[in-house]
Amino acid sequence: MYDFDFIRPASVEDAVAALATDPEAIAFSGGQTLMPAMKQRLASPSAVVSLTGIAALKGLRDEGGRLWIGAATTHAQVAREAADSYPALASLAGRIGDPSVRARGTIGGSLANNDPSACYPAAVLGSGATVVTDRREIAADDFFEGMFTTALEEGEIVTAVIFPRPARARYEKFRQPASRFPLTAAFVAQFDDGVRVAITGASEGGVFRWTEAERALTGNFAPESLDDIAPPDAEGMISDLHGSGAYRAHLVKVMTRRAVANA
Amino acid sequence: MHKVSMTVNGRPVSGEVEGRTLLVDFLRVNLRLTGTHVGCDTSQCGACTVHMDDQPVKACSVLALDAEGADIATIEGMANADGSLSTIQQAFQDYHGLQCGFCTPGMVMAAAALLRETPRPTEAEVREYLDGNICRCTGYHNIVKAIMAASGQEVVPVAAE
Ligand SMILES: Cc1cc2nc3c(=O)[nH]c(=O)nc-3n(C[C@H](O)[C@H](O)[C@H](O)COP(=O)(O)OP(=O)(O)OC[C@H]3O[C@@H](n4cnc5c(N)ncnc54)[C@H](O)[C@@H]3O)c2cc1C
Ligand code: FES
Ligand code: FES
């Protein structure tokens, strides 16, 4: 790992200013993605702007019935503190990686990174949540733009995520045991005005909504509603040594079904 | 170089580090606390597990400067005040929870974090909590037995999943 300067501002304004003055500087939250990437020299920033010292980016609170989560809130804290307010989300957070990863890794880092196999993007897209940044609010449907790509601009930082609370929801993850990421996972959420289904770990385009399943489940929220629906096209699904595209496409349906059954 | 200060095993410490200095290197090189091991350096194995403000973290994946002001506990701080082994350490010895011993500091620190959160875990909870700790000697059964014993529970023969 090449050396870099280290800055740990106490406010969002100072963090944004530090990123704006140096285009080679990067935001650094839990480091659970960045540390391994920097060691492999996949990232070699001139400066690291740590977000861990900014109190305004941490914690969970109720906001008019919706759940506000600060971007630098760890997976462990969400697992503990959302257990009552949004159990499906808490359960997802409690299954990310392992206890040490959950003690450092953050929701903002996971979303900004948008790994095609990450867990949180499924919850954010599946809940129709809003991503809040230092300069605007971005609807989940507009935030994820493909593998490792988001709507974030240069130097823009995620400050919070706001989740509407569904009547019922569930995340089902088929774990890839070596990496602990999902091989494929589904997040299903039932709202008064319809059902949302978000799939991660499957598509080369990253997290996506499985709209055929959404329509069927909005009609009747039951596993049988998926009986007559074909899994998504295997074309465009991730194919690697852990599973072929066809296998992942198959898992999309299996995981969605399980999520509905257990919601 | 930057100055960094933290508490390690109850003792205030400080030192000069680079931006890229890892917490594990600060512990091993600056403080000469070499009980914390580096097994993979890719965040996979957990040999470097220490406690940071009472939570388990992989010290190879935390920057020393990000631990400014933190309360760190390492394997060197685990023994009882009189130097005798702690309950968890003694259980690892009694139940042969180690072979080469390389993963052991991380295993003991993970076990201590688990038992603080869940004083009487089930066997499944122990296995799940050790997800991020790899034992190259593959002595998992005895590690699980040791942790069950350390939690004051009966140790029954365990089978792989
Ligand atoms: C062993 C292991 C297992 C894992 N298993 C899983 C798993 O099962 N599921 C899963 O989803 N993830 C998993 N992860 C990844 C983990 O969840 C990471 O915590 C997460 O992907 C990144 O969050 P972070 O806070 O660590 O971000 P960092 O590593 O600090 O940053 C990641 C990226 O986001 C940017 N960034 C960080 N915060 C912000 C912000 N607020 N605004 C804008 N940009 C920002 C950084 O510049 C960087 O590009 C695993 C990681 C490890 C090491
Ligand atoms: S050395 Fe830190 S996880 Fe392996
Ligand atoms: S005892 Fe040898 S690695 Fe675990």
Side-chain angles (χ1 to χ4, degrees), chain A residues 118-131:
Chain A
C119 299
Y120 267 129
V124 169
L125 189 62
S127 306
T130 304
V131 179

Side-chain angles (χ1 to χ4, degrees), chain A residues 1-6 8 28 32 35-36 39 50 52 76 80 97-101 103-104 175 178 180, chain B residues 2 18-20 22 41-44 49 52 55-58 60-63 65-66 68 129 131-132 134:
Chain A
M1 189 165 43
Y2 294 110
D3 197 20
F4 44 79
D5 197 12
F6 180 88
R8 198 169 179 228
F28 186 97
Q32 299 303 293
M35 285 301 329
K39 287 180 187 174
S50 170
T52 59
R80 275 194 311 272
D98 57 55
S100 304
V101 169
R104 296 294 296 167
R175 217 170 71 126
R180 298 166 209 133
Chain B
H2 305 253
E18 291 182 311
R20 64 178 165 181
L22 303 174
D41 208 26
T42 57
S43 312
Q44 300 290 328
T49 305
M52 183 168 174
Q55 296 213 73
V57 300
K58 294 176 185 173
C60 76
S61 305
V62 175
L63 292 173
L65 288 165
D66 235 356
E68 172 68 35
Y129 203 90
D131 237 3
I134 293 172

Side-chain angles (χ1 to χ4, degrees), chain A residues 19-205:
Chain A
L19 291 169
T21 45
D22 179 357
E24 301 291 308
I26 48 167
F28 186 97
S29 194
Q32 299 303 293
T33 292
L34 264 182
M35 285 301 329
M38 285 160 66
K39 287 180 187 174
Q40 291 179 62
R41 295 183 176 169
L42 295 173
S44 39
S46 57
V48 152
V49 180
S50 170
L51 306 179
T52 59
I54 308 177
L57 293 181
K58 294 184 190 176
L60 294 81
R61 63 171 184 257
D62 179 75
E63 234 188 45
R66 299 191 302 167
L67 175 63
W68 181 98
I69 303 181
T73 309
T74 62
H75 309 330
Q77 194 178 351
V78 173
R80 275 194 311 272
E81 296 182 20
D84 292 330
S85 53
Y86 197 165
L89 186 69
S91 156
L92 171 150
R95 284 180 283 159
I96 293 176
D98 57 55
S100 304
V101 169
R102 296 195 288 273
R104 296 294 296 167
T106 67
I107 186 168
S110 178
L111 297 178
N113 194 50
N114 194 18
D115 187 302
S117 299
C119 299
Y120 267 129
V124 169
L125 189 62
S127 306
T130 304
V131 179
V132 186
T133 77
D134 61 275
R135 59 200 72 165
R136 58 187 168 142
E137 296 198 347
I138 309 171
D141 285 314
D142 302 323
F143 183 79
F144 303 103
E145 295 189 342
M147 204 182 257
F148 297 111
T149 314
T150 67
L152 291 174
E153 293 163 1
E154 207 65 45
E156 180 172 17
I157 66 170
V158 178
T159 56
V161 188
I162 304 176
F163 289 92
R165 292 203 200 117
R168 281 194 285 181
R170 178 71 191 169
Y171 179 64
E172 286 294 341
K173 167 177 177 179
F174 191 88
R175 217 170 71 126
Q176 202 281 85
S179 76
R180 298 166 209 133
F181 277 80
L183 190 61
T184 289
F187 194 95
V188 171
Q190 184 188 31
F191 292 90
D192 291 344
D193 59 353
V195 173
R196 292 175 72 104
V197 178
I199 306 293
T200 186
S203 169
E204 285 174 344

Side-chain angles (χ1 to χ4, degrees), chain B residues 2 4 10-11 30 33 41-42 48 53 59 61 78 101-102 106-107 119 126 134 137 147 153 156 161:
Chain B
H2 305 253
V4 67
R11 199 166 55 92
N30 294 54
L33 293 174
D41 208 26
T42 57
C48 63
D53 297 327
S61 305
M78 285 303 281
F102 197 85
M107 289 287 180
V126 174
I134 293 172
C137 301
I147 297 171
Q153 303 186 84
V156 291
E161 281 176 33

Side-chain angles (χ1 to χ4, degrees), chain B residues 56-150:
Chain B
V57 300
K58 294 176 185 173
C60 76
S61 305
V62 175
L63 292 173
L65 288 165
D66 235 356
E68 172 68 35
D71 188 10
I72 305 293
T74 72
I75 189 69
E76 285 87 352
M78 285 303 281
N80 298 322
D82 65 0
S84 62
L85 295 180
S86 68
T87 308
I88 295 173
Q89 290 171 309
Q90 188 60 53
F92 268 69
Q93 190 182 82
D94 293 346
Y95 289 87
H96 307 286
L98 61 154
Q99 294 174 62
C100 79
F102 197 85
C103 69
T104 313
M107 289 287 180
V108 169
M109 297 313 287
L114 166 64
L115 297 187
R116 184 166 43 219
E117 277 175 41
T118 313
R120 291 175 68 83
T122 62
E123 187 201 318
E125 284 172 330
V126 174
R127 289 182 184 274
E128 197 177 293
Y129 203 90
L130 296 182
D131 237 3
N133 293 80
I134 293 172
C135 175
R136 202 62 257 261
C137 301
T138 69
Y140 296 105
H141 286 353
N142 288 350
I143 291 169
V144 174
K145 279 186 199 167
I147 297 171
M148 292 303 279

